[in-house]
Amino acid sequence: MAELSTKQEISWLDDVDSNGVIINPNHELYGKSIAGKELEMPAAAGSTVGADRLVNLAVHGKAPKKIILERSDPITMWGAILGRIDLEIKGKSKKPVDISMLEKLGIDSEIADLLARAGELLGANEFIPADYVQISGVSYKTIMETGLELRRYFASKYRFRAKNVTINPAGMDMEEWQMQHIPEEFAKKQKEIIELYIKMGAQPTITCTPYLISYSQPFTDAFLSESSAVAFENSMLAVRTNREAGLSTLLYAIAGYGPRYGLHLQENRNPRIEIKLDTELKTLSDYGLLGYKMGELSQGKIPYITGMHGMPSVEDVKQLGAAGAASGSVDLFHIEGVTPEARYKMIDLGNIEERIEVGRKDLDEIKEKLNTGNDNEIDLVAFGCPHASINEIKEIAGLLKGKRIKNGKELWISTSRAVKEIAEKVGLASIIEEAGGHIVADTCMVVSPIEEIGFKTTATNSGKAAKYLPRFSKQKVIFDTTEEIIKKITE
Ligand code: F3S
């Protein structure tokens, strides 16, 4: 029996502080230190930069001495490999991987050794070309000094062999960071991280919604590590990816190969829990609430959602998946009659073990839980988590037209630079600026150091942002619909 044991997943990003203490009051290990202990847990929830956070704990002597996982989880696994933490996956017998097979693929021996260790833990003997890789762990706020050091090391030795490598949001707008009041020292480190990724061969997409600015090939294998992009591309585009760690995608991009396991295999993509929707979803934030509930219920099982009225939009599904990946570990979900594998009957519904009804009362309870602040204290409104589409920007501009944001409040819409440029060309950016708001590219309210800038209460329409803002960014949160939030802060 391990010294510490939990049935709840742990988010290495915001459930544990830098001293190795569990700071999530809703966690059964709340207040306990995991430093130097043997820890048994199901798997990691939430952010894929968790691997970097675990390495950081290890470097500072605050990590567990051993972790026992109930199921394979690349985030904890890669944190353990690079942080040299003893790791056991229950019920998995280790199958050694032949390193010479990896070296024959032209992979450098140091990287081949790391990939072999991962393959052994995952039970994956086959390595496939990593053509499309998306890397998280880009903001200096999330990866910190240890993460920067690691990237300096890899960039000094390697270039990406993967063909198409995109990167996640940074901690600031790379062009207009002064407008965001970003501290100079932070900006210096952030610029260095982006330069290192570009030097290795990444495209400077700097977004968590690569699927809004480029084309993904359905039914092909990929290696993505932004959790919201994993949920969207797996579910909506039938791309086959596991929820990789930021660090694993970095190494697969260098190798040009990654292990074939988990959701790469069709037999592992069947749903095991049905979520029977008993209410109509009317707003974007309703989809975030459902996603949040889905994450809490799923506990590692792939959800199958039934009872949805009509066809959800890209933006709706984006919200749903992002919140599910943040509150739990939803990497893939199916929606009856909507998502491709459900529509083309590629999944076996005979594996469903549990059927749970979700109604308006459940969504209201989540909303109440996410709201921790007072309307009159809002100092930042943050839309665009995941990064806003041009349709979302159009809706916000329409709601802001002819209005003025009250003094002392700021409004940011986070998006990719590519979408920001379209918003500028079609005149939406100027409507938002006239009202006193800003479109910020390359970053978001979670990975940007808003607590250092002085913001204390943030309003958002995103379930994912509402999950991370309290502990990771020390914010009180107002969670509501886009329309209601704009009413609260304009005159
Ligand atoms: Fe993207 Fe930031 Fe949200 S990276 S998914 S906008 S937390």
Side-chain angles (χ1 to χ4, degrees):
M1 184 75 178
E3 288 167 279
L4 272 183
S5 177
T6 175
K7 290 277 168 231
Q8 264 178 284
E9 295 169 338
I10 294 177
S11 164
W12 297 110
L13 183 71
D14 66 327
D15 282 348
V16 188
D17 74 4
S18 54
N19 289 315
V21 175
I22 302 281
I23 52 165
N24 177 357
N26 300 317
H27 202 283
E28 59 189 21
L29 296 183
Y30 178 54
K32 297 221 161 74
S33 170
I34 57 169
K37 307 261 173 58
E38 210 175 87
L39 170 68
E40 189 171 336
M41 57 184 270
S47 177
T48 57
V49 281
D52 270 290
R53 309 294 285 197
L54 192 50
V55 174
N56 191 58
L57 286 177
V59 166
H60 294 99
K62 304 292 181 191
K65 73 168 181 255
K66 179 173 182 178
I67 299 175
I68 304 160
L69 290 176
E70 267 172 30
R71 57 179 194 271
S72 289
D73 152 26
I75 295 163
T76 306
M77 193 190 80
W78 276 100
I81 291 176
L82 291 163
R84 299 178 197 283
I85 301 164
D86 196 8
L87 182 77
E88 182 187 320
I89 302 173
K90 272 176 145 182
K92 265 229 152 125
S93 55
K94 294 184 182 177
K95 290 186 203 148
V97 173
D98 177 7
I99 296 186
S100 67
M101 174 264 290
L102 292 167
E103 287 172 340
K104 275 187 204 136
L105 296 171
I107 302 170
D108 178 274
S109 58
E110 179 188 39
I111 304 293
D113 180 53
L114 291 169
L115 261 57
R117 273 153 62 190
E120 184 175 322
L121 285 165
L122 293 165
N125 268 296
E126 190 186 350
F127 284 75
I128 51 175
D131 289 335
Y132 172 27
V133 181
Q134 194 265 351
I135 302 180
S136 67
V138 177
S139 163
Y140 179 64
K141 177 178 166 182
T142 60
I143 65 170
M144 305 179 291
E145 206 56 28
T146 314
L148 173 55
E149 280 296 333
L150 268 174
R151 281 142 185 96
R152 276 185 190 134
Y153 171 74
F154 287 118
S156 71
K157 292 184 73 177
Y158 303 107
R159 295 293 171 266
F160 292 153
R161 296 174 80 213
K163 287 183 204 152
N164 178 11
V165 182
T166 65
I167 51 173
N168 233 25
M172 62 188 199
D173 187 310
M174 297 306 293
E175 289 178 10
E176 295 181 55
W177 54 272
Q178 286 100 336
M179 177 279 290
Q180 279 187 286
H181 323 288
I182 299 288
E184 288 273 346
E185 192 50 29
F186 184 97
K188 201 169 135 219
K189 306 267 186 180
Q190 187 59 73
K191 284 181 196 166
E192 184 185 353
I193 294 168
I194 297 293
E195 280 159 16
L196 291 170
Y197 277 122
I198 293 173
K199 184 173 160 194
M200 283 189 271
Q203 300 176 44
T205 48
I206 322 186
T207 183
C208 50
T209 55
Y211 49 86
L212 292 180
I213 59 170
S214 67
Y215 174 73
S216 295
Q217 184 80 39
F219 304 109
T220 54
D221 290 307
F223 296 87
L224 312 188
S225 57
E226 161 51 41
S227 63
S228 67
V230 168
F232 187 93
E233 298 217 13
N234 254 329
S235 311
M236 227 24 211
L237 305 178
V239 165
R240 290 158 190 277
T241 177
N242 293 293
R243 181 173 50 120
E244 293 291 348
L247 285 169
S248 60
T249 46
L250 174 66
L251 293 166
Y252 301 155
I254 291 171
Y257 287 86
R260 184 166 185 260
Y261 71 104
L263 296 178
H264 294 294
L265 308 165
Q266 186 62 43
E267 65 265 28
N268 295 331
R269 297 176 69 88
N270 293 320
R272 287 176 50 214
I273 177 169
E274 179 180 343
I275 294 183
K276 297 169 82 164
L277 196 53
D278 189 26
T279 183
E280 199 175 338
L281 304 176
K282 295 189 177 136
T283 62
L284 207 55
S285 20
D286 274 352
Y287 282 87
L289 291 171
L290 173 64
Y292 202 102
K293 185 74 191 169
M294 172 173 79
E296 287 188 340
L297 292 171
S298 62
Q299 296 294 310
K301 297 178 186 143
I302 296 172
Y304 179 62
I305 303 172
T306 56
M308 198 174 272
H309 295 253
M311 188 59 89
S313 66
V314 164
E315 291 76 13
D316 295 335
V317 180
K318 178 162 78 76
Q319 276 300 325
L320 177 72
S327 70
S329 51
V330 176
D331 311 334
L332 163 67
F333 54 91
H334 304 287
I335 309 175
E336 182 185 32
V338 173
T339 50
E341 285 163 275
R343 283 170 64 193
Y344 298 124
K345 308 215 180 315
M346 294 174 68
I347 46 172
D348 182 357
L349 301 180
N351 293 308
I352 293 177
E353 308 152 0
E354 242 182 306
R355 294 188 153 79
I356 300 178
E357 265 192 22
V358 172
R360 181 54 53 182
K361 188 168 158 280
D362 299 290
L363 303 191
D364 288 345
E365 277 169 13
I366 299 284
K367 186 175 177 186
E368 202 182 319
K369 184 159 84 179
L370 295 179
N371 270 290
T372 53
N374 294 318
D375 288 358
N376 55 6
E377 291 171 343
I378 298 172
D379 38 30
L380 174 67
V381 168
F383 296 132
C385 172
H387 271 178
S389 68
I390 195 68
N391 288 338
E392 287 171 276
I393 296 177
K394 193 172 169 191
E395 188 204 343
I396 297 165
L399 291 166
L400 284 174
K401 199 164 186 175
K403 297 200 177 120
R404 187 77 211 153
I405 293 165
K406 290 178 191 163
N407 267 346
K409 302 187 188 304
E410 291 210 22
L411 180 145
W412 296 355
I413 306 165
S414 306
T415 191
S416 61
R417 189 154 297 282
V419 169
K420 181 179 178 180
E421 282 170 10
I422 298 171
E424 284 168 345
K425 280 199 182 111
V426 298
L428 296 173
S430 58
I431 297 172
I432 292 160
E433 295 281 337
E434 274 160 30
H438 303 284
I439 299 180
V440 290
D442 315 318
T443 187
C444 77
M445 67 301 268
V446 173
V447 300
S448 172
I450 58 170
E451 66 285 10
E452 279 184 49
I453 298 167
F455 296 120
K456 292 193 167 57
T457 301
T458 298
T460 182
N461 58 357
S462 158
K464 173 170 177 176
K467 157 78 169 64
Y468 287 127
L469 285 169
R471 289 189 295 279
F472 187 53
S473 301
K474 301 183 178 50
Q475 298 295 295
K476 285 188 181 160
V477 170
I478 303 294
F479 174 86
D480 214 326
T481 63
T482 315
E483 199 170 349
E484 284 304 314
I485 291 173
I486 288 180
K487 272 192 209 154
K488 290 180 209 283
I489 56 125
T490 52
E491 49 194 13

